[in-house]
Amino acid sequence: MSIPSQFAENMRGLLPSPAEYNAFMASLDKPRQRGLRINTLKITTEDFEGHFPNLEAVAWCAEGRYYTNQSEAPLGKNPLYNAGLYYIQEPSAMSAAAILDVQKGEKVLDLCASPGGKSTQIASSLAGEGLLVSNDANFSRIPQLVRNIEMAGITNSIILCETPERLAPHFPAYFDKILVDAPCSGEGMFRKDPSARTAWDATKPARLAVIQKNILHHAAQMVADGGYLAYSTCTFNTTENEDVATYFLEQNKNFEQVSQTRIFPHAHKGEGHFVALFRKTTPKTDNTDVQVQTRPQKLDKDFQNFLDTYQITLPEGDIKSHNDKLFIPPTIYPDLSGLRVIRAGLLLGILKKQRFEPSYALAMALKPDNFANTINLPNHHPNITKLLGGETFVVDNAKDGYNLFCVEGYPIGFAKILKNRLKGRII
């Protein structure tokens, strides 16, 4: 597929020499780079390499690995993917969260979060401590974000569907770190996704730069004193990259630029990314939240019966109910009144008539020894395909009721069994 002529002309002006321009253009016709990122919330890099040896490391992300397209066993269909042990992610896209350098216990906002790759990367760095707020203003993109957060086994996250304009007054100078992976013209995806070429037009960068500046304006208001803001795009032009970064600094004198990074497909093993990291120069002050204890003195009897029946060990935290749903909110729990909240911590499940139905999120947050009825299957066992496909099949010597199905010792969901026969799709 041809490259838009105006884009080619723009790149000729951006790159420093004809030789580099020719190398860049030639790279767009080469195979794309494929990557995955190990989810260290569930598995160590050493244990992961026992399952997938000899994968090349991504230079800018310690948990990142390159892989080739395996037509016989694609990694997106491997049961260990369904167990949340890794996330399929384009290698250059790992750079933004890596540069943000999230530490345990911090409060972090991923402002344009869907589908969740960067949020799950941030969550791995938080290691279950602190707070991750994953927001996306487009409701149609929320289900994929929720699914990826839950599959990764993340328990300290809040998922919102709000505009930056509505979020900013709610969180003044609140977050230690904010990632703005802004909507962009997607020039860095020209090799990976041919449709990005046809969707591009010469007016797009300028139009999107207006949106990007507005998002950054509101994001800046939410950065805590001494905190950091990372601005990233998967595009090449300076209109959406350097020019937006320069404009941001002109408008926000209390920020300084710490670094600026570009990834080009002809020079690096990635598709294309830009990241500018800013620091708020206002001296750091105490930014500690007080957590209100919300666990009821007496749990709902149906939920308590579920706990007793399955001898379940819940993740730590207080239990909160909302519209028959039970949650364990993050330890850090800000005021969310008036906001469109999709998830507020770990969804345990739903109270129905005389029973409690556990959630997929709970299954993915457990370890096998946290649940009495556990069925562990080896990777690529034929029953795993049936299980994920919603088929009914016989499971020998299984206990009636909910069972936590695992692959190689890692949960992939709950399923109900009656008289050794699995009933319905996994949850």
Side-chain angles (χ1 to χ4, degrees):
M1 187 177 293
S2 63
I3 297 293
S5 58
Q6 185 58 58
F7 167 77
E9 190 61 31
N10 293 348
M11 293 305 299
R12 192 185 299 276
L14 174 63
L15 295 167
S17 69
E20 190 158 358
Y21 168 78
N22 291 335
F24 170 80
M25 295 300 289
S27 74
L28 298 183
D29 292 323
K30 295 179 180 178
R32 75 187 219 194
Q33 296 290 343
R34 298 176 183 269
L36 61 84
R37 185 176 36 74
I38 303 164
N39 179 12
T40 54
L41 292 176
K42 296 210 169 203
I43 190 171
T44 65
T45 54
E46 293 76 15
D47 287 345
F48 177 87
E49 288 165 354
H51 293 286
F52 300 98
N54 305 318
L55 296 184
E56 181 186 351
V58 175
W60 46 84
C61 178
E63 298 77 33
R65 298 291 184 273
Y66 294 99
Y67 73 94
T68 56
N69 185 24
Q70 303 174 35
S71 57
E72 294 183 3
L75 291 185
K77 295 183 179 180
N78 190 301
L80 294 177
Y81 170 79
N82 295 95
L85 301 194
Y86 57 92
Y87 183 92
I88 303 293
Q89 189 173 25
E90 192 275 304
S92 68
M94 304 175 192
S95 60
I99 288 169
L100 194 56
D101 192 27
V102 170
Q103 303 296 311
K104 288 182 183 180
E106 292 182 326
K107 294 180 289 190
V108 186
L109 170 63
D110 186 358
L111 189 53
C112 311
S114 189
K118 294 175 176 67
S119 276
T120 55
Q121 187 175 353
I122 290 167
S124 290
S125 297
L126 288 173
E129 301 178 19
L131 174 67
L132 167 64
V133 175
S134 299
N135 177 78
D136 203 282
N138 186 341
F139 185 74
S140 68
R141 293 167 58 85
I142 289 292
Q144 190 174 8
L145 173 61
V146 171
R147 181 71 176 183
N148 285 324
I149 292 281
E150 292 182 342
M151 187 162 67
I154 298 166
T155 61
N156 60 330
S157 71
I158 293 171
I159 302 174
L160 303 177
C161 181
E162 282 293 355
T163 63
E165 289 86 348
R166 280 180 48 80
L167 285 181
H170 246 87
F171 298 103
Y174 182 80
F175 293 100
D176 300 302
K177 289 174 181 173
I178 295 179
L179 174 60
V180 174
D181 186 42
C184 69
S185 56
E187 296 165 350
M189 296 294 102
F190 276 11
R191 182 167 69 177
K192 175 183 175 182
D193 181 9
S195 67
R197 302 184 185 189
T198 57
W200 188 92
D201 69 68
T203 67
K204 206 168 187 179
R207 286 187 283 114
L208 283 163
V210 174
I211 296 172
Q212 293 154 359
K213 291 171 183 177
N214 180 62
I215 293 173
L216 283 174
H217 168 72
H218 293 97
Q221 298 170 39
M222 295 184 276
V223 179
D225 295 337
Y228 290 82
L229 169 62
Y231 169 67
S232 71
T233 73
C234 58
T235 204
F236 297 119
N237 66 81
T238 57
T239 302
E240 297 176 74
N241 293 333
E242 286 87 351
D243 293 355
V244 169
T246 298
Y247 178 85
F248 174 79
L249 291 170
E250 289 172 349
Q251 299 298 311
N252 296 273
K253 301 299 184 182
N254 57 338
F255 280 82
E256 64 180 3
Q257 184 164 291
V258 177
S259 64
Q260 195 175 99
T261 304
R262 273 187 174 274
I263 295 175
F264 286 103
H266 69 289
H268 310 93
K269 294 192 70 172
E271 297 309 298
H273 229 73
F274 170 89
V275 187
L277 181 65
F278 308 105
R279 185 178 73 87
K280 189 174 180 180
T281 55
T282 313
K284 190 171 185 178
T285 56
D286 183 33
N287 189 26
T288 303
D289 288 81
V290 176
Q291 169 66 30
V292 177
Q293 300 298 308
T294 57
R295 184 187 292 276
Q297 291 186 348
K298 187 176 181 180
L299 297 175
D300 177 272
K301 62 181 180 61
D302 295 321
F303 180 57
Q304 186 64 63
N305 181 58
F306 174 81
L307 297 180
D308 295 340
T309 299
Y310 297 106
Q311 302 169 39
I312 184 170
T313 303
L314 291 175
E316 293 184 4
D318 298 323
I319 294 175
K320 187 175 183 180
S321 63
H322 180 70
N323 293 340
D324 294 328
K325 295 180 180 179
L326 296 182
F327 295 85
I328 297 179
T331 304
I332 300 171
Y333 195 70
D335 177 16
L336 303 175
S337 56
L339 296 177
R340 193 178 192 183
V341 181
I342 308 299
R343 286 282 189 276
L346 173 64
L347 174 63
L348 298 175
I350 303 173
L351 292 167
K352 298 192 173 181
K353 288 184 179 180
Q354 298 183 329
R355 65 187 174 93
F356 171 77
E357 184 176 290
S359 71
Y360 169 76
L362 174 60
M364 300 306 286
L366 294 176
K367 295 180 173 58
D369 58 1
N370 294 157
F371 199 80
N373 298 359
T374 300
I375 297 175
N376 187 35
L377 299 172
N379 197 7
H380 303 302
H381 190 285
N383 279 354
I384 296 178
T385 302
K386 295 177 183 178
L387 183 68
L388 296 172
E391 298 180 39
T392 297
F393 58 92
V394 173
V395 184
D396 294 331
N397 303 316
K399 296 178 181 178
D400 284 356
Y402 287 107
N403 281 256
L404 179 64
F405 276 83
C406 302
V407 54
E408 302 290 350
Y410 300 97
I412 55 174
F414 291 120
K416 221 170 184 182
I417 290 177
L418 180 62
K419 295 180 180 179
N420 290 335
R421 182 169 290 275
L422 182 139
K423 297 178 64 181
R425 183 178 295 274
I426 194 169
I427 59 172

